[in-house]
Amino acid sequence: DAGVIQSPRHEVTEMGQEVTLRCKPISGHDYLFWYRQTMMRGLELLIYFNNNVPIDDSGMPEDRFSAKMPNASFSTLKIQPSEPRDSAVYFCASSLGFSGSTDTQYFGPGTRLTVL
Amino acid sequence: ILNVEQSPQSLHVQEGDSTNFTCSFPSSNFYALHWYRWETAKSPEALFVMTLNGDEKKKGRISATLNTKEGYSYLYIKGSQPEDSATYLCAVSGATNKLIFGTGTLLAVQP
């Protein structure tokens, strides 16, 4: 298995532009997670899906952020409009199950976003 | 709110030294603790998952212990090698079943 795939690996954009990050989870995994990594706050969970359904989006910072999972093999995280404070590394992770969080989450390589 | 703290923030050791670092968390509503190893420019990689008080896990030269009553876990590396250089992340799940990550311990092993 290729693992969790994310694209693009790097994204540089200007303030106000729309940014779309993409993720392909490991085949057969029922859960998909979006995280944001910053120096100040570390690794924060933004949202997670179970069987393509958003379960908890309480970590999404504001309405400018949205995430979708149209099918079991694809998810997007969109920021519109982007701001410089959104600059961070965004990770996608997937897990086979989520029984009391004992299941291992497998992380993708991340997308490094820079908003100028 | 589940708050996970890791110490030290960074650590510099010589090749061959043994080292350890700590993850602290509230002991109430604890479900599981995960240790991840994160090398620069790579993805975080799972090392261990522990759930029971007194759990001990080992993988090669790396081992971990868990004390859920007092709310801490130790990660030990025996005979550090340059390839052990990475950030070691601890994550804990509580009542919400979400993983809450600490800010990590950055380990640098000098040859």
Side-chain angles (χ1 to χ4, degrees):
Chain A
D1 199 313
V4 176
I5 298 172
Q6 290 186 248
S7 65
R9 294 292 305 276
H10 301 273
E11 176 81 26
V12 180
T13 190
E14 292 186 345
M15 183 173 65
Q17 297 297 306
E18 178 180 295
V19 175
T20 299
L21 312 181
R22 297 173 177 80
C23 175
K24 176 179 167 53
I26 293 172
S27 177
H29 280 192
D30 292 334
Y31 286 85
L32 183 141
F33 307 85
W34 281 102
Y35 289 91
R36 179 170 67 175
Q37 166 74 18
T38 61
M39 289 293 292
M40 291 297 294
R41 299 173 68 91
L43 199 59
E44 299 176 282
L45 178 66
L46 299 177
I47 184 172
Y48 77 90
F49 295 82
N50 177 22
N51 292 324
N52 315 338
V53 176
I55 302 300
D56 188 334
D57 64 354
S58 59
M60 295 286 261
E62 49 197 274
D63 292 345
R64 298 184 295 107
F65 286 69
S66 62
K68 294 181 180 179
M69 192 165 185
N71 58 62
S73 60
F74 183 66
S75 176
T76 60
L77 178 68
K78 185 176 292 187
I79 308 172
Q80 165 64 17
S82 58
E83 297 182 2
R85 59 191 169 120
D86 301 330
S87 298
V89 181
Y90 291 81
F91 285 99
C92 176
S94 70
S95 70
L96 191 61
F98 202 46
S99 53
S101 291
T102 57
D103 292 304
T104 295
Q105 293 185 21
Y106 296 86
F107 283 77
T111 295
R112 181 174 294 277
L113 174 65
T114 303
V115 183
L116 304 174
Chain B
I1 296 176
L2 194 60
N3 189 35
V4 179
E5 297 184 355
Q6 291 188 247
S7 62
Q9 193 171 18
S10 63
L11 198 53
H12 295 255
V13 302
Q14 292 295 123
E15 182 175 355
D17 288 349
S18 293
T19 187
N20 67 85
F21 16 94
T22 306
C23 174
S24 302
F25 54 89
S27 54
S28 59
N29 295 319
F30 170 86
Y31 284 132
L33 183 139
H34 299 241
W35 279 103
Y36 282 84
R37 180 173 178 274
W38 188 10
E39 289 183 71
T40 302
K42 293 187 178 180
S43 318
E45 175 189 351
L47 288 173
F48 307 114
V49 179
M50 296 183 289
T51 57
L52 300 176
N53 185 47
D55 261 355
E56 292 188 27
K57 295 283 179 82
K58 187 174 181 182
K59 188 175 183 178
R61 293 178 292 99
I62 304 176
S63 60
T65 60
L66 177 64
N67 183 324
T68 60
K69 292 184 179 179
E70 295 181 38
Y72 65 85
S73 174
Y74 291 140
L75 188 79
Y76 300 91
I77 302 178
K78 185 178 178 181
S80 303
Q81 299 297 307
E83 58 263 32
D84 296 328
S85 298
T87 295
Y88 291 83
L89 291 170
C90 164
V92 173
S93 65
T96 62
N97 288 348
K98 295 189 293 189
L99 286 186
I100 307 298
F101 281 84
T103 52
T105 293
L106 175 61
L107 175 66
V109 182
Q110 302 292 335

